[in-house]
Amino acid sequence: MAGVVSSVFRPGLFAGKSAIVTGGGTGIGKAITQELLYLGCNVMVAARKLDRLEAAADEMRSQLKDEKVRLEVAECNIRKEDQVKNLIKTTVDKFGSLDYLVNNAGGQFMNTAGEFSLKGWNAVVETNLTGTFLCCREAHNQWMSKNGGVIVNIIANMFNGWPGMSHSGAARAGVDNLTKSLSVEWAPAGIRINSVAPGSTIFSDTAAQNYGSDTIFKAQIPRVPAKRLGTTEEVSAAVCFLLSPAAAFISGETVRVDGAQSLYSTSIVWEVPDHDKIPPYTWKDDKDGKSKL
């Protein structure tokens, strides 16, 4: 219910800690921000549209019960290197540290691969992959390389391919691999990094508005073993676990929050029509008609 925030974790778990949540004003990002605040963490939320972000921040501030907990906002397009550098610097300046980074900002649009323009393809890949890399790099270079920290990347259920969103699937798969690589490279600095992959049946009002309807979500319920839609709070709980000391020996992993959807079906409703465009090869020799095998 709007205005009511709670957590399965103990209050004060992240007291004195500081975090950045990109895309933290709507949907999954907002749920993560709210739970971190509830657990005592100072949070910098960043997004491209400052007016919408300010409105969301005002709502979340009204829920705060601990006057010591701070919520700050920053306008940032994660595709812009200078803006990402400024985001990290501003956060450290305001809070004095950067303990956690949650790379939630991203986006995509539905279309077949043959219809993508190069501009559209680049926009999605630069946002989801390059933007995530820039945030990770700057968090490492400006703070975590000397002080340690925890990073969680939000990706997607693209493990069986993502027809209709191949641009985002390719980018999110890149982040999955980036997570594994950085978990090894940055371990000596005391940095843990993991990913969380929400299923495409995680429902939020923001997601429904983006796709113009909630039908796309409801249509997938039969393909999910849990037989229901997931919630943004269930994704947030997984993120908070990975940030917490309980996950101190977990790094380089991707946690799927999808009700076993990725083990049961493709990540999106996509029907292949009947066709005869892939005929079998006969392995016959043209001259004598005998098999070559």
Side-chain angles (χ1 to χ4, degrees):
M1 185 173 65
V4 178
V5 181
S6 188
S7 176
V8 70
F9 303 103
R10 68 169 174 82
L13 176 63
F14 296 136
K17 302 294 186 179
S18 300
I20 291 174
V21 180
T22 64
T26 59
I28 290 173
K30 184 178 180 181
I32 295 168
T33 299
Q34 289 175 305
E35 187 163 8
L36 287 174
L37 292 168
Y38 178 86
L39 295 173
C41 189
N42 296 318
V43 182
M44 175 73 75
V45 288
R48 288 187 301 129
K49 298 180 180 179
L50 191 58
D51 54 343
R52 292 178 58 184
L53 188 58
E54 288 281 11
D58 287 343
E59 176 193 339
M60 289 186 280
R61 288 190 186 104
S62 70
Q63 302 164 3
L64 292 176
K65 297 180 179 180
D66 187 345
E67 295 181 355
K68 296 180 181 179
V69 178
R70 296 169 58 191
L71 172 61
E72 302 285 348
V73 301
E75 185 176 9
C76 180
N77 181 344
I78 61 172
R79 295 164 57 185
K80 305 296 184 181
E81 184 177 22
D82 58 336
Q83 293 187 29
V84 173
K85 287 182 176 181
N86 186 63
L87 169 64
I88 304 301
K89 182 181 184 302
T90 299
T91 301
V92 173
D93 288 346
K94 285 183 177 291
F95 295 150
S97 67
L98 176 57
D99 302 286
Y100 311 130
L101 168 64
V102 181
N103 286 309
N104 170 75
Q108 58 271 320
F109 55 90
M110 292 186 66
N111 209 345
T112 59
E115 297 295 322
F116 289 147
S117 66
L118 182 58
K119 180 179 179 181
W121 172 273
N122 286 344
V124 171
V125 173
E126 288 173 6
T127 299
N128 294 309
L129 178 56
T130 306
T132 296
F133 163 71
L134 287 174
C135 290
C136 288
R137 188 194 70 186
E138 288 308 309
H140 169 272
N141 290 354
Q142 293 192 42
W143 181 263
M144 292 185 179
S145 63
K146 295 181 179 180
N147 301 281
V150 188
I151 299 172
V152 175
N153 298 320
I154 307 299
I155 56 172
N157 180 7
M158 44 68 205
F159 304 99
N160 294 330
W162 205 354
M165 292 195 188
S166 58
H167 49 1
S168 187
R172 309 287 188 156
V175 175
D176 179 63
N177 192 271
L178 179 67
T179 298
K180 292 176 172 62
S181 299
L182 298 185
S183 70
V184 177
E185 286 190 26
W186 293 352
I191 300 171
R192 292 191 300 105
I193 177 168
N194 294 286
S195 292
V196 169
S200 55
T201 50
I202 300 297
F203 180 82
S204 72
D205 292 334
T206 302
Q209 290 172 8
N210 288 342
Y211 296 118
S213 170
D214 60 3
T215 303
I216 189 173
F217 295 95
K218 294 178 180 179
Q220 294 184 77
I221 293 176
R223 301 187 179 206
V224 182
K227 297 302 179 183
R228 66 171 176 85
L229 297 177
T231 69
T232 57
E233 291 79 10
E234 288 171 316
V235 178
S236 177
V239 171
C240 288
F241 164 71
L242 290 172
L243 294 175
S244 79
F249 205 54
I250 301 175
S251 193
E253 289 299 320
T254 293
V255 176
R256 308 183 190 192
V257 184
D258 66 355
Q261 177 189 22
S262 56
L263 301 175
Y264 187 61
S265 67
T266 58
S267 60
I268 196 168
V269 177
W270 187 272
E271 300 295 343
V272 178
D274 291 336
H275 66 87
D276 58 358
K277 301 299 185 181
I278 307 178
Y281 183 57
T282 61
W283 287 275
K284 298 280 187 173
D285 185 284
D286 292 338
K287 294 182 179 178
D288 56 18
K290 295 181 179 180
S291 173
K292 293 181 178 179
L293 299 180

PDB file of all heavy atoms in Angstrom, residues 27-28 31 198-199 201-204 228-237 257:
ATOM      1  N   GLY A  27       9.138   2.411  -9.691  1.00  0.00           N
ATOM      2  CA  GLY A  27       9.184   0.965  -9.849  1.00  0.00           C
ATOM      3  C   GLY A  27      10.096   0.252  -8.869  1.00  0.00           C
ATOM      4  O   GLY A  27      10.083   0.504  -7.660  1.00  0.00           O
ATOM      5  N   ILE A  28      10.915  -0.660  -9.394  1.00  0.00           N
ATOM      6  CA  ILE A  28      11.827  -1.445  -8.564  1.00  0.00           C
ATOM      7  C   ILE A  28      12.799  -0.537  -7.825  1.00  0.00           C
ATOM      8  O   ILE A  28      13.080  -0.739  -6.639  1.00  0.00           O
ATOM      9  CB  ILE A  28      12.584  -2.468  -9.436  1.00  0.00           C
ATOM     10  CG1 ILE A  28      11.622  -3.561  -9.916  1.00  0.00           C
ATOM     11  CG2 ILE A  28      13.748  -3.092  -8.669  1.00  0.00           C
ATOM     12  CD1 ILE A  28      12.237  -4.522 -10.928  1.00  0.00           C
ATOM     13  N   ALA A  31      11.229   0.988  -4.757  1.00  0.00           N
ATOM     14  CA  ALA A  31      11.069   0.005  -3.682  1.00  0.00           C
ATOM     15  C   ALA A  31      12.390  -0.231  -2.960  1.00  0.00           C
ATOM     16  O   ALA A  31      12.432  -0.344  -1.730  1.00  0.00           O
ATOM     17  CB  ALA A  31      10.535  -1.315  -4.251  1.00  0.00           C
ATOM     18  N   PRO A 198      15.271  -9.690 -12.075  1.00  0.00           N
ATOM     19  CA  PRO A 198      13.825  -9.813 -11.885  1.00  0.00           C
ATOM     20  C   PRO A 198      13.186 -10.494 -13.098  1.00  0.00           C
ATOM     21  O   PRO A 198      13.604 -10.273 -14.243  1.00  0.00           O
ATOM     22  CB  PRO A 198      13.355  -8.362 -11.771  1.00  0.00           C
ATOM     23  CG  PRO A 198      14.596  -7.553 -11.541  1.00  0.00           C
ATOM     24  CD  PRO A 198      15.693  -8.296 -12.216  1.00  0.00           C
ATOM     25  N   GLY A 199      12.187 -11.302 -12.855  1.00  0.00           N
ATOM     26  CA  GLY A 199      11.431 -11.865 -13.963  1.00  0.00           C
ATOM     27  C   GLY A 199      10.617 -10.792 -14.651  1.00  0.00           C
ATOM     28  O   GLY A 199      10.384  -9.708 -14.101  1.00  0.00           O
ATOM     29  N   THR A 201       7.684 -10.822 -14.974  1.00  0.00           N
ATOM     30  CA  THR A 201       6.377 -10.783 -14.326  1.00  0.00           C
ATOM     31  C   THR A 201       6.431 -10.018 -13.009  1.00  0.00           C
ATOM     32  O   THR A 201       5.534 -10.135 -12.188  1.00  0.00           O
ATOM     33  CB  THR A 201       5.855 -12.203 -14.057  1.00  0.00           C
ATOM     34  OG1 THR A 201       6.878 -12.961 -13.396  1.00  0.00           O
ATOM     35  CG2 THR A 201       5.482 -12.895 -15.349  1.00  0.00           C
ATOM     36  N   ILE A 202       7.489  -9.211 -12.801  1.00  0.00           N
ATOM     37  CA  ILE A 202       7.502  -8.295 -11.661  1.00  0.00           C
ATOM     38  C   ILE A 202       6.652  -7.093 -12.039  1.00  0.00           C
ATOM     39  O   ILE A 202       6.992  -6.326 -12.940  1.00  0.00           O
ATOM     40  CB  ILE A 202       8.927  -7.840 -11.313  1.00  0.00           C
ATOM     41  CG1 ILE A 202       9.806  -9.043 -10.950  1.00  0.00           C
ATOM     42  CG2 ILE A 202       8.889  -6.824 -10.173  1.00  0.00           C
ATOM     43  CD1 ILE A 202       9.358  -9.802  -9.721  1.00  0.00           C
ATOM     44  N   PHE A 203       5.550  -6.924 -11.346  1.00  0.00           N
ATOM     45  CA  PHE A 203       4.587  -5.890 -11.731  1.00  0.00           C
ATOM     46  C   PHE A 203       4.814  -4.601 -10.953  1.00  0.00           C
ATOM     47  O   PHE A 203       5.057  -4.615  -9.750  1.00  0.00           O
ATOM     48  CB  PHE A 203       3.156  -6.360 -11.496  1.00  0.00           C
ATOM     49  CG  PHE A 203       2.128  -5.318 -11.886  1.00  0.00           C
ATOM     50  CD1 PHE A 203       1.747  -5.175 -13.212  1.00  0.00           C
ATOM     51  CD2 PHE A 203       1.577  -4.474 -10.926  1.00  0.00           C
ATOM     52  CE1 PHE A 203       0.821  -4.204 -13.579  1.00  0.00           C
ATOM     53  CE2 PHE A 203       0.654  -3.506 -11.287  1.00  0.00           C
ATOM     54  CZ  PHE A 203       0.276  -3.372 -12.621  1.00  0.00           C
ATOM     55  N   SER A 204       4.736  -3.496 -11.662  1.00  0.00           N
ATOM     56  CA  SER A 204       4.665  -2.176 -11.035  1.00  0.00           C
ATOM     57  C   SER A 204       3.822  -1.290 -11.924  1.00  0.00           C
ATOM     58  O   SER A 204       3.706  -1.523 -13.135  1.00  0.00           O
ATOM     59  CB  SER A 204       6.061  -1.566 -10.857  1.00  0.00           C
ATOM     60  OG  SER A 204       6.604  -1.167 -12.105  1.00  0.00           O
ATOM     61  N   ARG A 228       1.781 -16.571 -10.320  1.00  0.00           N
ATOM     62  CA  ARG A 228       1.368 -15.227  -9.912  1.00  0.00           C
ATOM     63  C   ARG A 228       2.415 -14.231 -10.389  1.00  0.00           C
ATOM     64  O   ARG A 228       3.508 -14.607 -10.827  1.00  0.00           O
ATOM     65  CB  ARG A 228       1.233 -15.126  -8.394  1.00  0.00           C
ATOM     66  CG  ARG A 228       2.551 -15.270  -7.622  1.00  0.00           C
ATOM     67  CD  ARG A 228       2.348 -14.934  -6.147  1.00  0.00           C
ATOM     68  NE  ARG A 228       3.526 -15.139  -5.337  1.00  0.00           N
ATOM     69  CZ  ARG A 228       4.510 -14.241  -5.175  1.00  0.00           C
ATOM     70  NH1 ARG A 228       4.461 -13.071  -5.798  1.00  0.00           N
ATOM     71  NH2 ARG A 228       5.545 -14.504  -4.395  1.00  0.00           N
ATOM     72  N   LEU A 229       2.076 -12.958 -10.299  1.00  0.00           N
ATOM     73  CA  LEU A 229       3.030 -11.902 -10.579  1.00  0.00           C
ATOM     74  C   LEU A 229       3.902 -11.655  -9.350  1.00  0.00           C
ATOM     75  O   LEU A 229       3.471 -11.878  -8.219  1.00  0.00           O
ATOM     76  CB  LEU A 229       2.310 -10.608 -10.962  1.00  0.00           C
ATOM     77  CG  LEU A 229       1.458 -10.661 -12.236  1.00  0.00           C
ATOM     78  CD1 LEU A 229       0.744  -9.327 -12.451  1.00  0.00           C
ATOM     79  CD2 LEU A 229       2.303 -11.002 -13.450  1.00  0.00           C
ATOM     80  N   GLY A 230       5.126 -11.195  -9.581  1.00  0.00           N
ATOM     81  CA  GLY A 230       5.998 -10.833  -8.484  1.00  0.00           C
ATOM     82  C   GLY A 230       5.834  -9.364  -8.135  1.00  0.00           C
ATOM     83  O   GLY A 230       5.215  -8.587  -8.872  1.00  0.00           O
ATOM     84  N   THR A 231       6.396  -8.952  -7.009  1.00  0.00           N
ATOM     85  CA  THR A 231       6.287  -7.572  -6.554  1.00  0.00           C
ATOM     86  C   THR A 231       7.656  -6.904  -6.531  1.00  0.00           C
ATOM     87  O   THR A 231       8.690  -7.567  -6.425  1.00  0.00           O
ATOM     88  CB  THR A 231       5.680  -7.498  -5.144  1.00  0.00           C
ATOM     89  OG1 THR A 231       6.621  -8.038  -4.192  1.00  0.00           O
ATOM     90  CG2 THR A 231       4.373  -8.292  -5.067  1.00  0.00           C
ATOM     91  N   THR A 232       7.647  -5.589  -6.607  1.00  0.00           N
ATOM     92  CA  THR A 232       8.902  -4.842  -6.527  1.00  0.00           C
ATOM     93  C   THR A 232       9.561  -5.037  -5.170  1.00  0.00           C
ATOM     94  O   THR A 232      10.790  -5.025  -5.061  1.00  0.00           O
ATOM     95  CB  THR A 232       8.662  -3.350  -6.790  1.00  0.00           C
ATOM     96  OG1 THR A 232       7.692  -2.846  -5.853  1.00  0.00           O
ATOM     97  CG2 THR A 232       8.155  -3.120  -8.203  1.00  0.00           C
ATOM     98  N   GLU A 233       8.761  -5.218  -4.129  1.00  0.00           N
ATOM     99  CA  GLU A 233       9.310  -5.428  -2.790  1.00  0.00           C
ATOM    100  C   GLU A 233      10.081  -6.743  -2.698  1.00  0.00           C
ATOM    101  O   GLU A 233      11.064  -6.843  -1.946  1.00  0.00           O
ATOM    102  CB  GLU A 233       8.189  -5.412  -1.746  1.00  0.00           C
ATOM    103  CG  GLU A 233       7.552  -4.057  -1.526  1.00  0.00           C
ATOM    104  CD  GLU A 233       6.534  -3.676  -2.595  1.00  0.00           C
ATOM    105  OE1 GLU A 233       6.178  -4.543  -3.419  1.00  0.00           O
ATOM    106  OE2 GLU A 233       6.087  -2.507  -2.613  1.00  0.00           O
ATOM    107  N   GLU A 234       9.666  -7.747  -3.471  1.00  0.00           N
ATOM    108  CA  GLU A 234      10.391  -9.025  -3.469  1.00  0.00           C
ATOM    109  C   GLU A 234      11.755  -8.884  -4.137  1.00  0.00           C
ATOM    110  O   GLU A 234      12.718  -9.548  -3.745  1.00  0.00           O
ATOM    111  CB  GLU A 234       9.540 -10.100  -4.152  1.00  0.00           C
ATOM    112  CG  GLU A 234       8.363 -10.519  -3.288  1.00  0.00           C
ATOM    113  CD  GLU A 234       7.367 -11.428  -3.999  1.00  0.00           C
ATOM    114  OE1 GLU A 234       7.023 -11.142  -5.172  1.00  0.00           O
ATOM    115  OE2 GLU A 234       6.922 -12.413  -3.377  1.00  0.00           O
ATOM    116  N   VAL A 235      11.847  -8.007  -5.127  1.00  0.00           N
ATOM    117  CA  VAL A 235      13.147  -7.722  -5.739  1.00  0.00           C
ATOM    118  C   VAL A 235      14.017  -6.947  -4.751  1.00  0.00           C
ATOM    119  O   VAL A 235      15.204  -7.247  -4.568  1.00  0.00           O
ATOM    120  CB  VAL A 235      12.986  -6.921  -7.042  1.00  0.00           C
ATOM    121  CG1 VAL A 235      14.350  -6.604  -7.641  1.00  0.00           C
ATOM    122  CG2 VAL A 235      12.135  -7.699  -8.045  1.00  0.00           C
ATOM    123  N   SER A 236      13.424  -5.962  -4.097  1.00  0.00           N
ATOM    124  CA  SER A 236      14.166  -5.165  -3.136  1.00  0.00           C
ATOM    125  C   SER A 236      14.742  -6.023  -2.014  1.00  0.00           C
ATOM    126  O   SER A 236      15.885  -5.802  -1.585  1.00  0.00           O
ATOM    127  CB  SER A 236      13.255  -4.083  -2.544  1.00  0.00           C
ATOM    128  OG  SER A 236      13.927  -3.333  -1.557  1.00  0.00           O
ATOM    129  N   ALA A 237      13.989  -6.978  -1.538  1.00  0.00           N
ATOM    130  CA  ALA A 237      14.463  -7.847  -0.455  1.00  0.00           C
ATOM    131  C   ALA A 237      15.708  -8.619  -0.879  1.00  0.00           C
ATOM    132  O   ALA A 237      16.647  -8.799  -0.089  1.00  0.00           O
ATOM    133  CB  ALA A 237      13.358  -8.813  -0.031  1.00  0.00           C
ATOM    134  N   VAL A 257      14.937 -13.496  -9.436  1.00  0.00           N
ATOM    135  CA  VAL A 257      13.702 -13.287  -8.669  1.00  0.00           C
ATOM    136  C   VAL A 257      12.567 -13.385  -9.666  1.00  0.00           C
ATOM    137  O   VAL A 257      12.081 -12.383 -10.197  1.00  0.00           O
ATOM    138  CB  VAL A 257      13.723 -11.926  -7.948  1.00  0.00           C
ATOM    139  CG1 VAL A 257      12.466 -11.767  -7.076  1.00  0.00           C
ATOM    140  CG2 VAL A 257      14.978 -11.773  -7.102  1.00  0.00           C
TER     141      VAL A 257
END
